[in-house]
Every structure is written in structure tokens, then in C-alpha cells.
Amino acid sequence: MTFQDQARAAKAASTVLRRLSRAAKDDALSAMAARLREAARGVLAANAADLERGRAAGMAEGLQDRLRLTEDRIEGMAAGLESLAALPDPVGEVVRGWNTAQGVRIEQVRVPVGVIGIIYEARPNVTADAAGICLKSGNASLLRGSSSALESNRAVISALRAGLVDAGVPADAVNLVEGGHETTQEMMGARGLVDLLIPRGGAGLINAVVGGSTVPVIETGTGNCHLVVDTSADLGMAESIVVNAKTQRPSVCNALETVLVLQGIAEEAVPRLVGALTGAGVAVHGDPASVALDARVVPAGPDEYDAEYLSMDLAMKVVDDLPAALEHIAEHSSGHSETIVTENLESARAFQQSVDAAAVLVNCSSRFVDGGEFGFGAEIGISTQKMHARGPMGLREMTSTSYRLVGTGQVRLG
Amino acid sequence: MTFQDQARAAKAASTVLRRLSRAAKDDALSAMAARLREAARGVLAANAADLERGRAAGMAEGLQDRLRLTEDRIEGMAAGLESLAALPDPVGEVVRGWNTAQGVRIEQVRVPVGVIGIIYEARPNVTADAAGICLKSGNASLLRGSSSALESNRAVISALRAGLVDAGVPADAVNLVEGGHETTQEMMGARGLVDLLIPRGGAGLINAVVGGSTVPVIETGTGNCHLVVDTSADLGMAESIVVNAKTQRPSVCNALETVLVLQGIAEEAVPRLVGALTGAGVAVHGDPASVALDARVVPAGPDEYDAEYLSMDLAMKVVDDLPAALEHIAEHSSGHSETIVTENLESARAFQQSVDAAAVLVNCSSRFVDGGEFGFGAEIGISTQKMHARGPMGLREMTSTSYRLVGTGQVRLG
């Protein structure tokens, strides 16, 4: 089956999904979960084959870990599908509604997008997750996983499609896209067949999709997150937020990467924060001013303020004042999550008004910027772009809207 | 000044605009209007030069009319800027807000997008309009008009920038982008400097921008709009809606292009609608079934259901039933505005649930699908795409959102 045929089949399925009731979608999700549990043994065998192939090709240990499925992980995937069934249906929600002067009723209503393509790396659990989120929001999915997870993805998708058929929903609602690099290219150029592409993975993957795609793309992911310690900060609070934001899970996009300390409080704050961080196992890299204030700080290289560490490392810098901190953030931020610790109302206000990011925080940890913590119940990623969806994306962000007008024969007069 | 320099200047101005109060923006809009009125004579002279150049190059009469400015049109542009000042500020509006279990306050707030590029054809009134809408929504604008309107646009922009300076707002909030085709290319590739591109014009322009751009694009414009006459329709109502939707302003995107008549009512409906339409000066092109029912119907060519007439012509087709009508629409619609005339609740419901378009109407004219009729007060265009904004785009659609979190020291526990 060519990609075009597959995309057309997905589009045909999407016209059925668009009209499904919540109950029909929830039944399908439950059936998908049941089939996935049933297929666990086969999925594990397929995954073992992928892992064997990966090891033979010298795949890094960390990538093998992402690729690896276990009984627990498969159970997690199934439970995830069931938890989607328990969430409210985003389709049909009225965003706004009003009556015009002539008495026409207008409602802006959430509707499915149509066909959504997900391009992702070697994590087979994303396959079930993305398929479920798309289905619940009434969208057909074209899932383009990594070739290194091909056997695992085939086994997972086969189970999910069996569940769809059990529930009387077209199997083409969920599709695995196979094939080489040309297929990815076709997917990125499939305007009219694919309504939205979401790349999930590293910066390289995301940039390739954004740069090469004529289909609309939502970028997810990179988070070069800053925290500003204001002169008015409660340093006990700053300490616990900095340690939490850096160490609670250093490998994720909402983890803290850089601390900017205002000059006026640096003498007290730098040693205290460095003490807490090093005590928690973090290596602090800093500018000359930070190094001068605490010998445990190692000098930061020239590029260390520009990229995510995603590790137990943190960059520190002493800045003159809040405007200087804002300037540093404007220059280096990836637009994900930016935090200030302050007791001063005007500093908090100025920070939240000035910083251009998906999330701007006062006195709490950037680790809260997450679909689960936001209460969305499901998350397809965290958008760092400005159009359509910005920040954590749940079911609602997987919808478009349509205006529904109902009249009694009104025509336009002027 | 290179395009890059200009875009960087716009970006710098956007960081000031982001923080401006409503009063500051409204003062600037008033000052822009005042300067535009003052400059009317110079603008008319510049416009006369553009028109002279156009005539010499054999510009079509219709294009000359779009390019032409008059005292009234300039007054209209100034009044348009003042009416923007009277509208509420979309920036700062809280879309949603809630408290998390741990007591963190989360608000999703409207914020400016940043720098918006508008690429448009030879209509100098768009220059003032787009500049004003961008400014009111807190965005800097890069206005790329047609080279055939260059002198007019220079004169208009010069007046608008003088108004900005009068009001103490950076002049680089509004910019005219000059230069050849390479400049348009640069604009479409200026990720990181330009946040959003909106092409306003014909299908050729829009497709070129969508296909060539790595900056996010919102498509506006083409409307191949259908109206379905259900077997239960009140034919008096159908007649007045069809005539209004087709003839009230045939050249615009929300005008009606195709009428689909259900077989069960065709014998009565076709002659009645054709009579009303031909009486109003419309030429009806139809399929063999329509031609058989009324001799005034001329046979439609094979492509007549695929494109907009944008003229006093209309395509008619007799279809078996509602599913056949939905299928025709799914195949031929440009996703703008689709209408059914019916007295049957289930037909209305099925139609609104099934049709995938920016607006889906029951028993009223598609001419209502318009920012002015919706009460938006301003309109930058009508989006026919599904991401970010769909349907008429007012000030709200020119914003992004940001999540603002305020805590009292909370850290993430699990």
C-alpha cells in the first residue's frame, strides 16, 4: 500500500470518526486496550527482535532503554487508553456562542482536525498513546515511528486495529506508516490529505519536519528554561524550587537549565544555591561572577547558556538587574517555561508581561508545566510555538473549531 | 536597509508593543488616523503615479479599481483606524483559569504573537487596515504590498509611522517591505524573526506562500460555497437565501457558487430557483437533470463545480439525497461556508455534524460569514485552514496565548 493510499484511507476513516459519539469512541479505546493486553506476548517478542537488531547495530544503551517494552510498560499503555476513555469528549464543546442583531445564532464549536500525522523516535509506547489521543479527539492518525522500532510498532498497531474492528470503528482510524525517508517526505508534503503533523523527538527531528513540511506542523519539545532570583526573593523558596526544577527529572523539557541571580542578592544567593545544588548532585557551571562567589562553580563555556543540558548540570549567571535578566532570557530562551522567584509584586508583574514563552511562572517549579500537572489527563507534547496551541497539549489542542450558524431565513442587507 | 535588518527592527519594536497599555495603543491608532488625513493629498499624488504606471503597463480595469484611492477611501482608512481604537484590547484576556490541587494558580492569557507579515496584492487600503489590526493586537507588522502599489504604500506607511512617533510608539511597529521576489522568499524563510505570515489575495498568491514558507502561515480566502435545498425546505426561504448569497456581492469569498437540489424536491425547486436567479441577472449552469427541468439552465462544463465564479454565475446540480449532497461537498468544498435550507431537525443536525468547513449554516445566507457580521469590529481575512484560526479572523485571532502560573513556593512531588 502506498503512502497516498494509506492517507486516503485515513481520510475516509476520519469522516466516520468526526461523527462518532463519545460512547462509541470510548468503547473503541477500551477494546484497543483489551486487544493490546491480549497481544502482550507477541508485542514483547517483536520488541525483543527490534532490540536484538539495535544491539547488533551498536544502538546506545539509553536508546535501547527507550525502545524496550516490558509487561509493565504494555500494561501502562493499555491503562493509558482506558484513562482516555474516562476523559470528557473535546468534540462538540462550545467555545463561544451569541446571537446577531438579525437573530442568527452563532456557535463556535470544537470539531476534529481530520488526519493527524505523528513523527516520532524509537519509543513504542508513543504509538498507543498517540493513537489513543487522536481517536478520542475524533482524528485519524498516521503514525510514523522509527524504523528501529518497526517490529514493535507493527505488533502494537495490529492489536489496536483489532480493537477498533471489535468496536465497529474503521481500522484505518489508526495507521502505521512504514517505508524509507521518501515516505517521510511524502507525509510532509501531503497537503489536503494530512491536516497536521506533530514531530515528537529531538531538536534535529523537529527542525527537519518544520523546515521540510508544507502541511501545518506543531513543534514540541526543546526547553532551555531559566529561573530568575530577584533581589526580593525568599532564598529558602528559591533553593527548593531550583533544586526541584533541576533534579526531579533532569532529562525532560520542563527541567531547569539556567539560574540568573540578580547582582543585589548574589553574594548571599549564589553560595546558598550552589550549596543546595551540589548537595543534590548537580554540577554548577557559571560566569566569572558566580565563580568568584563560590569556588564550587566551574567556569561555563561560551555556548552553555544556549542549549539544554538535560542532565545534572546547570548554568548560573549573575546579572545586573531585572531588565538584564529579561534581556538574557529574550536572547537564549526556547520559549518553553521561564520562572521568577520574587516577593515583589511589580517584579512578578513585569516578568509575566515581558517574557515571551509558553509558560511564565512566579514562585513555583517549572516541572508543573506538563499536561498531567495541568489536569489535562492526556498530553501529546508541549508546544513551544505560538500558533494554534502553546504549552501542554491535551485533547482540546487536537481539535479545530467550526462556526455553526442557525437562522430562520435571514439574508444580509448591507 | 536589508529585509533582515528591517525584521530585526520590527522584532525589537514588538517587545515594546507587547507591554503597551490599551490606552497607549489607542492613542497611537488615533495619531495614525490624524497623520493619514493630513497626508491625504500626498497619498493621492503617489496613488496617481502608481495608476499611471499601471495604465502604461496595461493593468486591467478591475485591478486599477482596487489600486485606486480617493478622498473617501482615505477617509475610510482613517476612520477604520479610529474604530479599532474603540474596540476592546484582546491582549490580557483570560481564556481559562484554574487552581491546581497543590494551590498553584494557572491562567491561560492572550498575548501578542510578535511580528506578523502580511503579503497582499495592489490594494493600498489593506496597508492601513493590516497595520492597525496588528498594532491593536500588540504585534509589529511587516507589510509586503504589491510593487504596483509601491508609491501609494510608501505614502501611507510614512503617514502611519509619523503617527506612531507622535504617540511615542516605535515607528518600527509598522514597516513596508520593499524589494524584489527574493525579499518575499526571505520573508517566507525568516523563522525566528517573523512569527506568522498571512497572505491576502488570490489562490495563486496563497498557494505560493503556503508552499514556500517555513514561517507559519494562515491561509485566507477562497470560498467555493454550496447551498443544499433539502426536500423539507421552505422554497420561499430557499429562494431569498440563494439570491442573497449569490448576488449581494458576487465577487467575495462568502458568496454562493453552487446549489445542490435534492431529487425529491427538484421538480418544484429547480424552476422556482432558476426563475428567481435569472430574474436577478444570474446565469445558471447545470447538470443534465437541471437542464431537463428548466430550459434557462445552460449545461455546466466539467470543471464548473470546482472553482469560484466570483461573478453572476451559479452552478446547479440535482443530487439523489442528503448523503449524495454531503459527498459532493466533501469533494468540491474549499472549506469556507456551506449551507442547508431545511425544515427537518435531523437533516440540519446531520449537515452541521458532517460538513468540514469554517462555517456550516442552516437557513441563513453565507454572506453572514464575515468579521463585521460576526461583530468582531475588524477583520484581517477569513481563514479556510484548520489550525489556530478558522473562519473570520478579528483581533483575537491575531493573538497567541501564554500560561501564567503563580505559586507560593510549590515544587513537584511525583
Side-chain angles (χ1 to χ4, degrees):
Chain A
M1 199 184 224
T2 68
F3 171 75
Q4 296 288 326
D5 290 340
Q6 202 173 21
R8 266 189 286 271
K11 189 171 179 176
S14 78
T15 65
V16 177
L17 292 181
R18 157 176 301 276
R19 282 168 293 177
L20 283 188
S21 67
R22 173 176 169 181
K25 292 187 284 192
D26 293 350
D27 287 351
L29 288 163
S30 301
M32 287 157 75
R35 284 288 192 165
L36 188 58
R37 284 198 184 96
E38 260 176 52
R41 188 183 295 247
V43 171
L44 289 174
N47 186 246
D50 281 335
L51 279 165
E52 183 49 43
R53 198 158 42 95
R55 268 191 298 271
M59 181 186 264
E61 200 43 64
L63 291 181
Q64 286 187 44
D65 181 58
R66 289 176 157 216
L67 172 54
R68 183 171 295 114
L69 290 176
T70 61
E71 278 188 32
D72 277 0
R73 284 192 179 174
I74 293 176
E75 174 51 34
M77 289 156 72
L81 292 167
E82 286 168 341
S83 74
L84 282 168
L87 291 175
D89 191 342
V91 173
E93 188 193 347
V94 176
V95 179
R96 302 183 264 169
W98 68 97
N99 301 328
T100 70
Q102 280 180 262
V104 174
R105 173 80 190 151
I106 303 181
E107 290 184 355
Q108 186 183 23
V109 178
R110 291 200 184 282
V111 297
V113 169
V115 177
I116 298 181
I118 318 270
I119 302 181
Y120 55 106
E121 294 172 340
R123 295 178 56 187
N125 59 319
V126 170
T127 306
D129 195 34
I133 289 176
C134 288
L135 186 88
K136 177 79 187 199
S137 50
N139 298 294
S141 51
L142 292 166
L143 305 170
R144 171 72 179 164
S146 163
S147 59
S148 56
L150 184 59
E151 296 300 330
S152 313
N153 286 336
R154 279 182 178 164
V156 170
I157 293 270
S158 157
L160 300 180
R161 286 171 63 105
L164 289 169
V165 171
D166 290 345
V169 172
D172 293 333
V174 174
N175 307 277
L176 180 65
V177 177
E178 301 190 10
H181 182 63
E182 329 75 63
T183 310
T184 312
Q185 292 294 334
E186 269 191 278
M187 201 169 170
M188 299 195 299
R191 285 184 69 80
L193 283 175
V194 181
D195 294 294
L196 172 64
L197 281 181
I198 304 178
R200 286 181 65 168
L205 171 70
I206 292 168
N207 288 333
V209 174
V210 166
S213 185
T214 57
V215 170
V217 175
I218 294 182
E219 290 174 64
T220 61
T222 45
N224 189 17
C225 303
H226 301 77
L227 181 144
V228 176
V229 182
D230 188 38
T231 47
S232 72
D234 172 334
L235 288 185
M237 187 192 288
E239 193 181 305
S240 70
I241 292 175
V242 164
V243 171
N244 180 262
K246 176 73 257 180
T247 68
Q248 204 235 359
R249 201 169 164 206
S251 64
V252 294
C253 58
N254 61 17
L256 180 63
E257 305 293 354
T258 300
V259 170
L260 302 171
V261 181
L262 262 56
Q263 179 63 58
I265 199 172
E267 208 170 324
E268 190 187 351
V270 169
R272 184 158 173 184
L273 293 173
V274 172
L277 284 162
T278 51
V282 176
V284 181
H285 309 240
D287 67 330
S290 323
V291 174
L293 286 166
D294 194 307
R296 291 167 291 188
V297 178
V298 299
D303 302 333
E304 292 198 40
Y305 297 103
D306 286 315
E308 298 172 276
Y309 289 112
L310 300 175
S311 62
M312 290 288 269
D313 295 85
L314 180 134
M316 188 170 279
K317 190 179 176 185
V318 177
V319 293
D320 285 348
D321 49 19
L322 187 55
L326 292 170
E327 205 175 299
H328 180 99
I329 291 171
E331 195 176 330
H332 300 276
S333 168
S334 63
H336 192 298
S337 297
E338 306 296 350
T339 307
I340 190 170
V341 178
T342 183
E343 295 296 308
N344 182 278
L345 181 62
E346 175 51 21
S347 299
R349 198 196 63 81
F351 190 78
Q352 289 199 312
Q353 284 226 327
S354 302
V355 173
D356 189 15
V360 190
L361 301 88
V362 174
N363 295 343
C364 53
S365 169
S366 56
R367 291 279 297 122
F368 287 121
V369 181
D370 169 280
E373 294 292 318
F374 273 32
F376 289 177
E379 182 185 278
I380 194 85
I382 298 180
S383 161
T384 51
Q385 61 164 36
K386 299 182 186 180
M387 294 294 107
H388 187 71
R390 198 181 196 193
M393 295 192 292
L395 294 171
R396 203 179 245 143
E397 285 69 28
M398 304 298 276
T399 63
S400 180
T401 60
S402 176
Y403 285 103
R404 296 193 178 154
L405 282 72
V406 179
T408 50
Q410 288 89 341
V411 297
R412 183 160 163 185
L413 305 172
Chain B
M1 198 184 224
T2 67
F3 171 74
Q4 296 288 325
D5 290 339
Q6 201 172 21
R8 266 188 287 271
K11 190 170 180 180
S14 78
T15 65
V16 177
L17 293 180
R18 157 177 302 277
R19 284 168 292 176
L20 283 188
S21 68
R22 173 176 170 183
K25 292 188 283 193
D26 293 350
D27 287 351
L29 289 163
S30 302
M32 287 157 75
R35 286 287 194 166
L36 188 58
R37 285 198 184 96
E38 260 175 54
R41 189 184 294 248
V43 171
L44 289 174
N47 186 247
D50 281 334
L51 280 164
E52 182 49 43
R53 199 157 42 93
R55 269 190 299 270
M59 180 186 264
E61 200 44 64
L63 291 181
Q64 286 186 43
D65 181 57
R66 289 175 158 218
L67 172 56
R68 183 172 295 114
L69 291 176
T70 60
E71 279 186 32
D72 277 1
R73 284 193 180 175
I74 293 175
E75 175 50 35
M77 289 156 73
L81 292 167
E82 286 168 341
S83 73
L84 283 167
L87 292 174
D89 191 343
V91 172
E93 187 193 348
V94 175
V95 179
R96 302 183 266 169
W98 68 97
N99 301 327
T100 69
Q102 279 180 262
V104 174
R105 172 82 190 151
I106 303 182
E107 290 185 354
Q108 186 183 24
V109 178
R110 291 200 184 283
V111 297
V113 169
V115 177
I116 298 181
I118 319 270
I119 302 180
Y120 55 106
E121 293 172 341
R123 295 179 56 188
N125 60 318
V126 170
T127 306
D129 195 33
I133 288 176
C134 288
L135 186 87
K136 177 79 187 199
S137 50
N139 297 294
S141 51
L142 291 167
L143 304 170
R144 171 71 178 164
S146 162
S147 59
S148 56
L150 183 60
E151 297 300 330
S152 312
N153 286 335
R154 279 182 179 164
V156 169
I157 293 269
S158 159
L160 300 180
R161 287 172 61 106
L164 289 168
V165 171
D166 290 347
V169 172
D172 294 332
V174 174
N175 306 278
L176 180 65
V177 177
E178 300 190 11
H181 182 62
E182 329 75 63
T183 310
T184 312
Q185 292 294 333
E186 269 190 278
M187 201 169 170
M188 298 195 299
R191 284 184 69 79
L193 283 174
V194 180
D195 294 294
L196 172 64
L197 281 182
I198 304 178
R200 286 181 63 168
L205 171 71
I206 291 167
N207 288 334
V209 174
V210 166
S213 187
T214 56
V215 171
V217 175
I218 294 184
E219 290 174 63
T220 61
T222 45
N224 188 18
C225 303
H226 300 78
L227 181 145
V228 175
V229 182
D230 188 38
T231 47
S232 72
D234 172 334
L235 287 184
M237 188 192 288
E239 193 181 306
S240 69
I241 292 174
V242 164
V243 171
N244 180 262
K246 176 73 256 181
T247 68
Q248 205 234 359
R249 201 169 164 206
S251 65
V252 294
C253 59
N254 61 16
L256 181 62
E257 304 293 354
T258 301
V259 171
L260 302 171
V261 181
L262 262 56
Q263 179 64 56
I265 200 171
E267 208 170 324
E268 190 186 351
V270 169
R272 185 158 172 184
L273 294 173
V274 171
L277 285 161
T278 52
V282 176
V284 181
H285 310 241
D287 67 329
S290 325
V291 174
L293 286 166
D294 194 307
R296 291 167 292 188
V297 178
V298 299
D303 303 332
E304 291 197 43
Y305 297 103
D306 286 315
E308 299 172 275
Y309 288 112
L310 300 175
S311 62
M312 291 289 269
D313 295 85
L314 179 134
M316 188 170 277
K317 189 178 177 186
V318 176
V319 293
D320 286 348
D321 49 20
L322 188 55
L326 292 171
E327 205 175 301
H328 180 100
I329 291 172
E331 194 176 333
H332 299 277
S333 169
S334 63
H336 192 299
S337 297
E338 305 296 351
T339 307
I340 190 170
V341 179
T342 183
E343 295 296 308
N344 182 279
L345 181 62
E346 175 50 22
S347 300
R349 199 197 62 82
F351 190 77
Q352 289 200 312
Q353 284 227 328
S354 302
V355 174
D356 189 14
V360 190
L361 301 89
V362 174
N363 295 344
C364 54
S365 169
S366 56
R367 291 279 297 120
F368 286 122
V369 181
D370 168 279
E373 294 293 318
F374 273 33
F376 290 177
E379 182 185 278
I380 193 84
I382 298 180
S383 162
T384 51
Q385 62 164 36
K386 298 182 186 181
M387 295 293 107
H388 187 72
R390 197 180 196 194
M393 294 192 291
L395 294 172
R396 204 179 244 143
E397 285 70 27
M398 304 298 275
T399 62
S400 180
T401 60
S402 176
Y403 285 105
R404 295 194 179 154
L405 282 72
V406 179
T408 50
Q410 288 88 340
V411 297
R412 183 159 163 185
L413 305 172

